[in-house]
Amino acid sequence: MYGIYIVAFGLLAVVIAATAFRRGDRWAWWALLVGNTIAFVSAMTYDRIVGAIGPFEWSEYLGLAVIYASLAVTAPTLTGGQAARSGGASPAPGTVRAARPL
């Protein structure tokens, strides 16, 4: 049952990141922060309770640190309410943007 919980949080995070977060929706940033915190902290707590602490379990701490660092870079409060994006604004849905020369 615990594995289903982790898969559900993972899929939800991927969907939010691929849609609303890329659009710069402020709620998506908060959803990723809260959702990943809940998922990783609960996994870390479970591992400590059952005494399963090894190299794989330590990667959860690294994963949470990477997520926090990524969210810090894209924090909506630092950019006036919009998530930071490189390369300018996204095109409107249904339009095709010409490729830039390298």
Side-chain angles (χ1 to χ4, degrees), residues 2 6 36 39-48 52-68:
Y2 185 71
I6 295 300
N36 281 305
F40 276 91
V41 170
S42 65
M44 292 174 206
T45 303
Y46 175 79
D47 291 339
R48 285 192 181 265
I53 303 295
F56 182 73
E57 287 74 26
W58 283 107
S59 68
E60 294 166 348
Y61 293 91
L62 177 63
L64 190 58
V66 168
I67 289 168
Y68 282 169

Side-chain angles (χ1 to χ4, degrees), residues 20-101:
F21 185 76
R22 289 185 65 179
R23 284 192 309 261
D25 293 346
R26 190 178 185 120
W27 68 265
W29 188 90
W30 285 103
L32 290 173
L33 175 70
V34 172
N36 281 305
T37 300
I38 290 170
F40 276 91
V41 170
S42 65
M44 292 174 206
T45 303
Y46 175 79
D47 291 339
R48 285 192 181 265
I49 289 171
V50 299
I53 303 295
F56 182 73
E57 287 74 26
W58 283 107
S59 68
E60 294 166 348
Y61 293 91
L62 177 63
L64 190 58
V66 168
I67 289 168
Y68 282 169
S70 300
L71 288 173
V73 170
T74 60
T77 56
L78 299 176
T79 59
Q82 291 293 322
R85 294 185 205 149
S86 62
S90 296
T95 61
V96 177
R97 186 167 44 178
R100 292 185 223 163

Side-chain angles (χ1 to χ4, degrees), residues 4-18:
I4 294 171
Y5 164 79
I6 295 300
V7 170
F9 262 102
L11 289 175
L12 182 62
V14 168
V15 169
I16 290 172

